[in-house]
Amino acid sequence: MTIRQYGWNEYWINQWSGMTIHETERETLIPGRIVGDFGSKYRIRTDDGEQWGELSGRLRHSLETFGEYPAVGDWTSVKRADGGHLIIHGVLPRRSVISRKAAGSQPREQIVAANIDTLFLVSALNDDYNLRRMERYLIMAWNSGASPVILLTKADLCHDPESKIAEMEMTAPGVPVHAVSAHLGSGRESLLPYVGEGRTVALTGSSGCGKSTLVNWLCGADLQLTREVREDDSRGRHTTTRRELFLLPNGGVIVDTPGMRELQLWEDEGGLDLAFADIGQLSERCRYADCRHEREEGCAVLEAVSSGELEEKRLQSYRKTQRELQYQTAKEAKSKRKSGAGSVQKTASSRSRKYGWRREAED
């Protein structure tokens, strides 16, 4: 088994070849992908197999924000140490990064997974089904650089899954929506185009929506623990406690992530406009270019609500999320001013880099 089966391809080979390091260092470094995040320790897949790894001291001290720490899916440069474990000396620039605001009062980025091609946004067709929550997941997905796909799981519990698909398609214009049932074994063929050789997919959703069951179903093995959800509210318990990457039979890889009780969004990189593209299209017909869609005359968005073309709850969700992201941006800027490292950290958090190549400083 080689790292090519884990997504190593010509793109990453070119990134590796373009690293600015001494040839003597290059001879001792090998590429590896992080397949498990255990806090201070990582599981890393190289051509020699899967081994434990940790950050080098210099790399750890050079990291300026929590978002710069390695995450599942990252491609790293590692060096073998005595005892067989690996030392991480750097991380290749991320092609995509799925992030959220970490729990707590301080504005801090938490990386969910990196270098994901397709992000499965999972919602079960029971009491877990929630259009407003899916809007938030779509913003996170569009901000990440990965392609979102909505999976409606537990289709066997719904008497009319087609109506739910249509409803979700209205909420997420242009985003593929699939209803599946691992219990009945239906819908698996619709997912195969996303999980082919060399592709990396990740799952995200609330606890109990069926992510771990999907991993086991797609992998054809019981790799992840699953539990029954509570019957009274369809809420699940955390069965996945860490982010892990698994190899799929068709040659792709899949990342399972812990369920989210609440998704707090991180910086907006255009995801809000993409998730609410219908409101954006309507606003182009507003009389005023700076229309806030509240009480202005000639507001095409408000007219669409009055006519029934646009659901009022969707507009309310847009306003609420817009205010939240504006508040988050202001709070983060204030925190950076206090730390005295605003310009450096702002550069470090932009999606054009999201995780630029970092390595140990040379002596």
Side-chain angles (χ1 to χ4, degrees):
M1 190 174 297
T2 70
I3 56 174
R4 279 192 173 271
Q5 293 171 275
Y6 284 80
W8 186 253
N9 54 32
E10 294 305 316
Y11 173 86
W12 294 112
I13 291 172
N14 290 334
Q15 292 291 312
W16 181 266
S17 300
M19 295 189 307
T20 306
I21 55 177
H22 292 302
E23 288 303 318
T24 54
E25 285 185 302
R26 191 184 297 276
E27 292 175 0
T28 62
L29 295 173
I30 59 173
R33 193 170 200 186
I34 295 180
V35 298
D37 185 349
F38 294 78
S40 60
K41 299 284 187 180
Y42 301 91
R43 292 295 291 177
I44 304 174
R45 168 66 65 169
T46 69
D47 277 336
D48 295 328
E50 191 175 308
Q51 297 164 293
W52 286 103
E54 59 185 344
L55 298 179
S56 69
R58 287 183 179 179
L59 179 59
R60 180 181 292 108
H61 289 303
S62 74
L63 302 179
E64 297 166 344
T65 67
F66 285 96
E68 294 185 34
Y69 278 79
V72 168
D74 270 325
W75 285 103
T76 64
S77 66
V78 298
K79 187 180 295 186
R80 298 183 185 89
D82 294 338
H85 66 285
L86 302 171
I87 302 298
I88 302 172
H89 288 259
V91 179
L92 272 66
R94 291 166 172 161
R95 298 188 72 177
S96 64
V97 56
I98 301 163
S99 61
R100 57 178 287 193
K101 179 185 175 295
S105 59
Q106 295 300 315
R108 182 165 62 87
E109 182 181 20
Q110 181 184 57
I111 305 300
V112 178
N115 300 318
I116 304 301
D117 297 305
T118 301
L119 179 59
F120 286 157
L121 308 176
V122 185
S123 177
L125 287 173
N126 52 19
D127 290 343
D128 178 66
Y129 181 83
N130 187 306
L131 294 176
R132 303 286 80 86
R133 183 171 62 227
M134 185 56 69
E135 290 169 346
R136 298 177 67 82
Y137 279 104
L138 281 166
I139 294 171
M140 179 182 71
W142 286 124
N143 283 336
S144 73
S147 298
V149 173
I150 296 174
L151 298 189
L152 302 179
T153 60
K154 306 183 182 181
D156 53 289
L157 301 181
C158 179
H159 71 280
D160 186 13
E162 292 301 324
S163 66
K164 296 298 185 182
I165 292 176
E167 189 176 37
M168 194 63 77
E169 287 175 339
M170 291 290 292
T171 301
V175 177
V177 181
H178 303 282
V180 300
S181 171
H183 178 68
L184 297 179
S186 63
R188 188 176 187 275
E189 64 284 350
S190 67
L191 307 185
L192 296 181
Y194 307 109
V195 297
E197 184 175 355
R199 305 282 298 174
T200 300
V201 300
L203 301 166
T204 189
S206 58
S207 298
C209 67
K211 297 187 303 299
S212 295
T213 299
L214 273 171
V215 170
N216 293 340
W217 187 39
L218 291 172
C219 291
D222 292 332
L223 301 177
Q224 292 289 74
L225 175 67
T226 60
R227 293 177 179 174
E228 296 294 329
V229 299
R230 297 197 300 255
E231 293 184 2
D232 56 345
D233 60 4
S234 298
R235 295 293 294 273
R237 294 171 290 176
H238 288 295
T239 54
T240 301
T241 58
R242 61 181 64 89
R243 299 165 185 85
E244 291 188 79
L245 185 153
F246 302 96
L247 189 65
L248 292 166
N250 293 340
V253 291
I254 189 167
V255 178
D256 193 12
T257 64
M260 297 183 186
R261 296 294 189 193
E262 179 185 5
L263 172 58
Q264 298 187 63
L265 297 170
W266 186 240
E267 293 178 337
D268 185 34
E269 301 283 352
L272 178 68
D273 291 338
L274 288 170
F276 291 92
D278 51 345
I279 293 179
Q281 291 173 355
L282 288 168
S283 66
E284 293 177 357
R285 306 203 302 262
C286 291
R287 180 179 301 175
Y288 305 107
D290 59 348
C291 184
R292 295 187 298 174
H293 321 308
E294 293 180 352
R295 291 180 295 273
E296 296 88 346
E297 291 186 7
C299 175
V301 175
L302 294 179
E303 291 174 2
V305 172
S306 298
S307 68
E309 180 184 354
L310 178 68
E311 186 183 14
E312 185 175 7
K313 288 183 178 180
R314 182 160 171 81
L315 177 57
Q316 292 173 349
S317 178
Y318 171 78
R319 290 170 175 166
K320 178 182 177 182
T321 310
Q322 186 181 52
R323 289 194 299 268
E324 176 187 339
L325 288 168
Q326 290 171 345
Y327 174 76
Q328 169 67 20
T329 299
K331 189 174 182 181
E332 184 189 355
K334 182 179 180 181
S335 176
K336 288 174 180 178
R337 286 195 299 272
K338 285 184 177 180
S339 68
S343 61
V344 174
Q345 293 188 7
K346 183 61 181 177
T347 300
S349 63
S350 65
R351 202 190 78 187
S352 61
R353 175 214 57 90
K354 273 299 185 187
Y355 199 101
W357 169 258
R358 300 191 63 84
R359 65 183 181 88
E360 291 183 318
E362 297 174 6
D363 292 332

